[in-house]
Amino acid sequence: MPQTSVVFSSILGPSCSGQVQPGMGERGAGAGGSGDLIFQDGRLISGSLEALMEHLVPTVDYYPDRTYIFTFLLSSRVFIPPHDLLARVGQICLEQRQQLQAGSEKVKLKSFSAKIVQLLKEWTEAFPYDFQDEKAMAELKAITHRVAQCDEENGTVKKAIAQMTQSLLLSLAARSQLQELREKLRSPAVDKGPVLKAKPPAAQKDILGVCCDPLVLAQQLTHIELERVSSIHPEDLMQIVSHMDSRDKHRCRGDLTKTYSLEAYDNWFNCLSMLVATEVCRVVKKKHRTRMLEFFIDVARECFNIGNFNSMMAIISGMNLSPVARLKKTWSKVKTAKFDVLEHHMDPSSNFCNYRTALQGATQRSQMANSSREKIVIPVFNLFVKDIYFLHKIHTNHLPNGHINFKKFWEISRQIHEFMTWTQVECPFEKDKKIQSYLLTAPIYSEEALFIASFESEGPENHMEKDSWKTLRTTLLNRA
């Protein structure tokens, strides 16, 4: 299974290193004590939960690095629910505010208040879903109410709070509408497949009747991929960590609405694989099946060129399903040189080394892109999930001294942040509703139906296949 071996000192770059930035100040870097943070070469590597929470909260002379804010807000939910974290942030803010009020330092108090609002703004923008929880929203209102007291009427702090609140409510409303839309969406219909020797109607449409240009189909697949992956949020991906660690007392919200986007995206991969197999197996004539296989090989190649590795892998997986792979007479007529190249890129040996090299190349192209077409990077999602999983499993959450192993969470955050950057790319290709409708709603055969269609096209060749075919025939006759 794909896994990530991490050497943190070499992987963590300056963009997500946790190093204290010049002029940002440094908090809690004392020596020893359960409340201290441990730095190595200026980089935060561990600390107690309490110290990490204190490091999140600004002071008059300090504001946390943005990469730390994102990483801690993302990873803290493994140890403490967001509303409890927000409550603790509120307590720390209140203590600092009272100290400033006691010293009658109005200028510093206003500066501190502005920094608190900025922190809350970054939180609500990066993780707005946290505030669907009534407790979190109540804590947010309590903190902003206290902070606003230091500002005059129509002052900058109050304006910033109003803008932040409006943006948050709009974001939550948009997500609520998206969730309602998801519930209305249905999975593609599953066709029971052919009855014995029953041929599909001559007028029945196939993918080539809808789109015969491999590049256009690859572009429409990329449209679907980007639309679906854009509904995945950082906290959804953190589920991979929190769900698989039964030792932690606190979890992310594990309800269906929280994991739906991950499951839906994974289901899309499976549906695309089954659609490819269906399109091949339901073709009656060998000549047309050969053409269908060659078409999908070209589509997969175009997906690779675009940077859509997820659709490419789904298409290859569909052609490697047993009902398709066993069609030896059909495959003998296919020009497989292109397919061999694609399989080379997706060779699982050495932890998918070839794919990772291609992904790295696409990432570098995206970073240096001059056009939106060059920015597209859609990784193989189940490999990305497995990478996060193994990164979590091979590094502990806590060190022997009880500190949180923050070095681990820097790397998890880096990978999730990179993934989120890819999901925010706007698709540059024109949308074709007719093609997309077919891809999303065309009936797909069940596994049983695929084997029936496959055996009807090319009869069983060995004892195992003959037994399988006999069992399928008996099952169908009993149903009839």
Side-chain angles (χ1 to χ4, degrees), residues 7 34 59 62 64 76 112 149 175 251 283-284 365 448:
V7 181
S34 61
T59 66
Y62 162 82
S76 63
F112 169 70
Q149 290 176 354
R175 289 201 182 192
R251 304 278 188 101
V283 177
V284 176
R365 179 186 69 181
E448 181 184 77

Side-chain angles (χ1 to χ4, degrees), residues 288-305:
H288 293 161
R289 280 198 306 276
T290 301
R291 184 188 174 202
M292 187 68 75
L293 280 170
E294 291 180 338
F295 174 71
F296 277 119
I297 290 171
D298 287 338
V299 173
R301 187 179 65 165
E302 294 295 350
C303 286
F304 177 84
N305 292 337

